[in-house]
């Protein structure tokens, strides 16, 4: 995406955007960040005749125009420029918290994430229609004050899918219902061996969300945000949509995307990175004892988390070796 300010009047700023297909857009952005007008000649004017890919390009162009008007035109901040600022501020603030303060704000969320552990009672019950291995997203809204200290956090909200595969949201108590949060942590059930590692897990989620903001504007993010993993749930739905081919599967920790890598190790270094997919994709119906063993970071119990990591590495090496052998035989 490329942009330039082409006009300014009493109502706002005109931005010319050249999208990633080379098509020019002229977008009028009001002083409050609203899109007042949008013209282009590369796609149908009637939205009913646009493909999902074309809809997304229009969406990206408008997001980029807001961003350009905010970052280069002196307006705002608003739109994704404001969202990126909020995510960066929340990420830095959470990183600087003491262990005790982090636990006071996010200890319940940690219990929710590791709620499959038989000794942990999740603070928020799963809806009855959500099975043990069904997808469920845990969301906590974070509000910062003028000095970027945490002013408040919400209770844990739930996002899930009902029996009709329709997305549902269960909102719990929020201290500022009429105010947009500076950031929303979005995490799922996972095997996280300690609260210290969970802090890194939260920070990584915010880092991935910053990545997603850039993609939603049709931009490559700065290098530090070219990472793989779960970020913003709504943008990840676009990544998974085969009708929107301009996106790769950045949400997938083991996607093969040049220039992108998984940069979170679950507290176990390179072994943790390599085993992440094995643990995430494992839908085994485990007993309480087996689940408890998975959470043992020392690996002293049979089936502990470290043992699982080592087993995943061993299986991966075996699979790669067999794949290499099969390739050799086919070539001959």
């Amino acid at each position: 995406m490329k942009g330039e300010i082409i006009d300014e009047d009493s109502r706002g700023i005109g931005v010319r955007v050249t999208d990633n297909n080379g098509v020019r857009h002229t977008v009028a952005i009001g002083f409050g960040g609203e899109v007042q007008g949008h013209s282009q000649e590369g796609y149908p004017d009637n939205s009913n005749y646009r493909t999902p890919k074309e809809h997304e390009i229009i969406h990206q162009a408008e997001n980029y125009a807001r961003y350009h008007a905010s970052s280069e035109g002196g307006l705002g901040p608003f739109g994704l420029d404001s969202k990126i600022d909020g995510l960066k501020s929340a990420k830095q603030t959470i990183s600087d918290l003491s262990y005790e303060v982090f636990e006071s704000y996010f200890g319940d969320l940690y219990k929710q994430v590791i709620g499959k552990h038989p000794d942990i009672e999740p603070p928020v019950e799963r809806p009855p229609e959500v099975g043990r291995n069904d997808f469920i997203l845990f969301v906590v809204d974070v509000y910062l004050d003028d000095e970027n200290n945490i002013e408040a956090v919400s209770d844990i909200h739930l996002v899930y899918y009902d029996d009709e595969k329709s997305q549902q949201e269960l909102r719990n108590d929020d201290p500022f219902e009429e105010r947009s949060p500076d950031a929303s942590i979005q995490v799922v059930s996972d095997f996280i061996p300690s609260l210290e590692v969970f802090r890194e897990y939260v920070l990584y989620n915010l880092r991935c969300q910053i990545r997603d903001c850039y993609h939603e504007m049709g931009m490559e993010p700065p290098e530090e945000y070219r990472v793989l993993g779960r970020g913003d749930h709504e943008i990840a739905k676009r990544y998974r949509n085969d009708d929107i081919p301009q996106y790769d599967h950045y949400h997938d920790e083991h996607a093969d995307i040049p220039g992108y890598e998984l940069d979170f190790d679950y507290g176990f270094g390179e072994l943790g990175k390599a085993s992440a997919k094995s643990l995430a994709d494992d839908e085994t119906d485990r007993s309480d004892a087996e689940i408890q063993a998975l959470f043992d970071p020392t690996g002293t119990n049979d089936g502990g988390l470290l043992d699982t990591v080592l087993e995943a590495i061993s299986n991966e090496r075996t699979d790669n070796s067999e794949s290499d052998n099969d390739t050799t035989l086919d070539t001959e």
Side-chain angles (χ1 to χ4, degrees):
M1 291 281 186
K2 296 180 180 179
E4 61 175 318
I5 306 298
I6 59 173
D7 192 19
E8 181 173 356
D9 59 23
S10 60
R11 295 180 299 171
I13 284 181
V15 183
R16 178 162 292 143
V17 175
T18 303
D19 70 28
N20 294 329
N21 292 328
V23 174
R24 283 186 166 190
H25 306 246
T26 301
V27 186
I29 302 296
F31 291 118
E34 68 278 8
V35 174
Q36 297 176 330
H38 184 165
S39 63
Q40 46 75 38
E41 297 181 354
Y43 316 104
D45 289 328
N46 188 329
S47 62
N48 293 327
Y49 295 104
R50 293 180 194 146
T51 66
K53 177 182 177 180
E54 291 167 342
H55 273 294
E56 192 64 20
I57 293 171
I58 297 295
H59 176 73
Q60 288 179 333
E62 292 184 352
N63 280 334
Y64 183 81
R66 288 190 185 95
Y67 174 79
H68 194 79
S70 180
S71 60
E72 302 295 332
L75 301 186
F78 45 62
L80 289 173
D81 191 36
S82 178
K83 184 174 181 180
I84 290 171
D85 285 349
L87 289 166
K88 286 181 177 179
S89 296
K91 181 173 177 291
Q92 184 61 57
T93 298
I94 292 171
S95 177
D96 292 340
L97 294 178
S98 69
Y99 176 90
E100 292 77 14
V101 174
F102 177 79
E103 183 177 26
S104 70
Y105 283 125
F106 303 108
D108 279 352
L109 182 59
Y110 177 51
K111 292 177 182 177
Q112 193 74 39
V113 166
I114 63 171
K116 289 184 179 180
H117 191 296
D119 292 340
I120 299 295
E121 183 175 348
V124 181
E125 291 186 8
R126 286 172 173 253
E129 62 267 40
V130 179
R132 188 184 187 97
N133 292 318
D134 290 345
F135 171 82
I136 187 167
L137 185 72
F138 310 125
V139 179
V140 167
D141 295 328
V142 179
Y143 298 89
L144 305 178
D145 62 20
D146 292 338
E147 296 182 351
N148 283 339
N149 297 312
I150 292 181
E151 185 173 357
V153 299
S154 72
D155 283 355
I156 301 168
H157 311 307
L158 307 181
V159 177
Y160 61 97
Y161 292 89
D162 61 21
D163 294 339
E164 304 300 322
K165 306 301 181 185
S166 177
Q167 182 171 308
Q168 303 295 325
E169 184 174 6
L170 176 61
R171 301 283 299 180
N172 289 304
D173 288 345
D174 200 310
F176 303 110
E177 293 185 356
E178 303 302 320
R179 172 180 159 188
S180 295
D182 294 277
S184 295
I185 298 165
Q186 304 180 30
V187 290
V188 296
S189 295
D190 218 329
F191 297 103
I192 309 296
S194 68
L195 190 66
E196 292 93 336
V197 175
F198 181 65
R199 186 209 294 260
E200 297 305 313
Y201 185 74
V202 166
L203 296 175
Y204 193 68
N205 171 252
L206 296 175
R207 187 176 169 193
C208 290
Q209 288 192 52
I210 295 170
R211 170 207 66 201
D212 296 337
C213 290
Y214 284 98
H215 285 302
E216 200 175 5
M217 296 184 289
M219 300 171 64
E220 273 293 309
E223 188 172 351
E224 67 178 298
Y225 302 112
R226 295 177 193 172
V227 292
L228 300 173
R230 183 177 299 280
D232 185 280
H233 176 63
E234 292 302 317
I235 302 178
K237 290 193 293 186
R238 292 187 171 96
Y239 295 161
R240 291 191 292 267
N241 188 341
D242 293 337
D243 292 328
I244 308 177
Q246 58 262 56
Y247 292 129
D248 287 312
H249 286 194
Y250 303 102
H251 63 289
D252 183 348
E253 291 182 335
H254 286 265
D256 184 10
I257 304 173
Y260 287 76
E261 65 175 359
L262 174 65
D263 197 26
F264 178 69
D265 62 14
Y266 288 83
F268 290 95
E270 292 302 314
L271 294 179
K273 292 181 184 180
S275 69
K277 182 172 177 57
S278 173
L279 288 171
D281 291 349
D282 186 0
E283 296 185 356
T284 303
D285 187 13
R286 301 178 185 275
S287 68
D288 282 356
E290 289 171 328
I291 293 174
Q292 189 160 12
L294 272 175
F295 281 88
D296 178 6
T298 67
T300 54
N301 295 325
D302 184 36
L305 184 55
L306 185 56
D307 289 341
T308 304
V309 169
L310 294 170
E311 182 180 357
I313 294 295
S314 177
N315 290 340
E316 184 174 278
R317 288 172 177 165
T318 300
D319 291 343
N320 288 339
S321 175
E322 290 175 352
S323 176
D324 291 343
N325 291 337
D326 290 344
T327 301
T328 302
L329 289 173
D330 290 341
T331 301
E332 293 175 352

